[in-house]
């Protein structure tokens, strides 16, 4: 039988696919969070927001080699592919596991698993819902009340004047934090990279990474809604 | 001491099961859990009722037969302890104790607390063996093995195949069992010949038996009466990756003419 087919059909192989696609998504999330922090850098002397310049830079990155915006599109396709593969594979595993215990226990005491681990599936689905809404909100702008393509700082500033949207983002990021609290450690265990002497360190890495990501992402909407950052030019 | 036990009673695989409550008034705290069930069964027989079917054999924690979920935990509340080694002093006076069978699709019920754990045997049959020279026994220590490898292999080999890992896992996965069996052979020189086939065949059998898939909850190592670490699942995952991607699938290809 074909190697990759046998691999993907097995529960262990599927888990590895989940871990690898999860790692790609994780690296993206870290990069996205760091990029967002450009919001705090204000304007450059010519009066353009650093955040807008950054968005422009992403579009023009590798433009000479690949053409205008193509690198950005390549990244989007890869990320979307990873996200879909992650979700489809996880759904297959979830279906298999939920059929594996037809009669439930009257009493089941869970002593070892974290809340984060137990909510991977439902939390993951919330993250998926958030990704869809977030793309509509701040990438495509179709869910935004007053969207102007390319004026990122302005779009973000307007979006987070609405406290309901801030609360929504707050909840979504906490859910993502939970997902990564288990997911980052789980990645190492799934690939067989965890050992008893590394376990403490790897669990700590997962805690710190998920905490930093949540705080990093939330710093932007919270600062904007608390009025810690100036309105965009012309408002 | 007094306890109230609620036991899962089920006539056979096709009958519907239910909990039946039995008050037990004069239980000695020094009784083992199975002795408490023996007392219950004596009383049931005196009254002409059907005794509770449960498995036990060694009653010293080495055979893995005494499978039952006690108050939501396989083998009961005491860590690193089988149900037969558990004592009634681990419970408080007047406590309600729920006793259920292992519940998993891969373990079809037989009667009351007894389920068919043959799926675990079939996982072993799929690859839990090694090739050895038969005939006169080899000299002891003819094959030098590093102490650490021996210890690690022994840690995995303490698995008594009771199935508590499956019973505890919210996914009903048998990964800890499969990983222990794969590791205790794969860590030793004698287990190298079939090492790569073994992991592929045993994982395939694990999946065919309709066990769930592991999500690294860690409930299995917590429930394991032998305290086997999920680190062995990491070993399994590594071997599985190697077997699928690093080793030549068709070794003959290497000697074919070019
Ligand atoms: C930004 C997006 C996401 C990131 C960074 C991410 C990251 C991860 C990581 C690192 C893992 C650990 C893999 C492992 O167990 O070895 C994981 C597992 C998981 N993810 Fe995601 N994920 C994301 C989105 C999603 C979405 C949208 C779902 C939708 C349902 C989802 C559902 C799951 C589930 C159920 C698991 C556990 C799978 C298992 O252990 O078998 N994730 N994720
Ligand atoms: S009866 Fe043998 S381990 Fe409990």
């Amino acid at each position: 039988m074909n190697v990759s087919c046998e691999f993907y059909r097995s529960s262990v192989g599927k888990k590895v696919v989940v871990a690898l696609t999860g790692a790609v998504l994780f690296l993206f999330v870290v990069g996205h969070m760091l990029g967002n922090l450009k919001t705090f850098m204000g304007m450059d002397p010519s009066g353009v927001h650093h955040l807008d310049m950054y968005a422009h830079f992403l579009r023009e990155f590798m433009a000479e080699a690949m053409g205008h915006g193509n690198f950005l599109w390549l990244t989007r396709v890869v990320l979307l592919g990873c996200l879909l593969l992650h979700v489809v594979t996880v759904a297959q595993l979830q279906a298999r596991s939920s059929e594996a215990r037809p009669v439930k226990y009257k009493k089941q005491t869970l002593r070892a698993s974290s809340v984060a681990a137990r909510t991977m599936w439902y939390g993951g689905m919330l993250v998926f819902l958030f990704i869809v809404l977030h793309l509509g909100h701040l990438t495509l702008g179709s869910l935004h009340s007053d969207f102007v393509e390319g004026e990122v700082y302005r779009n973000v500033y307007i979006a987070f004047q609405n406290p309901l949207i801030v609360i929504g983002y707050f909840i979504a990021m906490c859910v993502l934090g939970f997902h990564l609290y288990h997911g980052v450690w789980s990645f190492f265990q799934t690939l067989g990279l965890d050992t008893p002497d590394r376990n403490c360190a790897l669990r700590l890495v997962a805690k710190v990474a998920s905490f930093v990501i949540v705080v990093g992402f939330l710093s932007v909407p919270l600062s904007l809604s608390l009025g810690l950052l100036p309105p965009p030019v012309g408002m | 001491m007094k306890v109230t036990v609620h036991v899962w009673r089920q006539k056979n695989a096709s009958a519907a099961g239910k909990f039946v409550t039995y008050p037990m008034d004069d239980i000695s705290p020094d009784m083992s859990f199975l002795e408490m069930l023996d007392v219950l069964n004596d009383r049931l027989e005196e009254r002409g009722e059907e005794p509770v079917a449960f498995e036990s054999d060694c009653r010293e924690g080495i055979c893995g037969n005494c499978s039952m979920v006690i108050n939501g935990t396989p083998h009961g509340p005491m860590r690193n302890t089988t149900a037969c080694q558990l004592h009634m002093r681990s419970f408080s006076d007047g406590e309600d104790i729920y006793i259920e069978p292992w519940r998993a699709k891969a373990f079809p019920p037989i009667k009351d607390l007894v389920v068919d754990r043959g799926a675990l045997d079939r996982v072993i049959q799929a690859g839990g063996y090694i090739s050895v020279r038969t005939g006169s026994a080899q000299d002891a220590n003819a094959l030098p093995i590093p102490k650490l490898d021996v210890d690690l292999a022994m840690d995995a080999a303490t698995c008594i195949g009771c199935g508590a890992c499956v019973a505890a896992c919210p996914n009903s996965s048998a990964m800890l069992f499969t990983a222990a069996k794969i590791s205790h052979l794969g860590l030793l020189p004698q287990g190298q010949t079939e090492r790569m086939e073994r992991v592929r065949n045993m994982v395939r059998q694990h999946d065919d038996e309709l066990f769930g898939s592991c999500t690294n909850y860690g409930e299995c190592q917590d429930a394991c009466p032998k305290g086997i670490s999920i680190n062995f699942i990491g070993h399994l995952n590594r071997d599985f990756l190697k077997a699928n991607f690093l080793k030549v699938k068709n070794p003959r290809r290497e000697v074919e003419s070019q």
Side-chain angles (χ1 to χ4, degrees), chain A residues 1-69:
Chain A
M1 202 199 309
N2 185 306
V3 179
S4 48
C5 171
E6 179 194 334
F7 183 76
Y8 189 72
R9 278 199 351 196
S10 76
S11 62
V12 179
K14 281 199 203 300
K15 268 178 63 67
V16 170
V17 170
V18 173
L20 293 178
T21 50
V24 172
L25 295 172
F26 172 78
L27 291 179
F28 163 74
V29 162
V30 172
H32 187 16
M33 186 274 286
L34 292 175
N36 285 3
L37 295 181
K38 289 253 176 197
T39 316
F40 293 102
M41 288 180 61
M43 280 189 276
D44 90 331
S46 60
V48 184
H49 286 283
H50 275 285
L51 189 62
D52 299 4
M53 288 164 65
Y54 175 62
H56 186 71
F57 157 77
L58 289 180
R59 260 177 200 81
E60 294 309 315
F61 186 66
M62 302 268 286
E64 286 183 19
M66 304 179 59
H68 171 83

Side-chain angles (χ1 to χ4, degrees), chain B residues 34 56-66 82 84 160:
Chain B
L34 300 192
S56 78
D57 186 12
C58 69
R59 297 215 175 185
E60 56 181 16
I62 57 171
C63 75
N65 260 319
C66 49
T82 54
C84 58
I160 53 178

Side-chain angles (χ1 to χ4, degrees), chain A residues 11 14-29 83 86-87 89-91 93-94 117 119-129 131 176 179-180 182-191, chain B residues 171 213-216:
Chain A
S11 62
K14 281 199 203 300
K15 268 178 63 67
V16 170
V17 170
V18 173
L20 293 178
T21 50
V24 172
L25 295 172
F26 172 78
L27 291 179
F28 163 74
V29 162
L83 182 67
H86 190 82
V87 174
T89 312
V90 142
L93 289 173
Q94 183 67 25
T119 51
M120 288 305 270
W121 172 240
Y122 296 105
M125 287 199 291
L126 283 179
V127 171
F128 188 78
L129 180 70
I131 293 174
L176 177 66
H179 199 77
L180 295 179
H182 179 71
V184 170
W185 166 78
S186 185
F187 166 83
F188 293 104
Q189 168 68 8
T190 298
L191 295 187
Chain B
N171 304 313
S213 80
C214 171
T215 48
N216 302 331

Side-chain angles (χ1 to χ4, degrees), chain A residues 142-154:
Chain A
S142 44
L143 298 176
H144 195 284
S145 56
D146 179 12
F147 190 81
V148 179
E149 174 94 40
E151 298 200 9
V152 186
Y153 187 83
R154 179 185 169 282

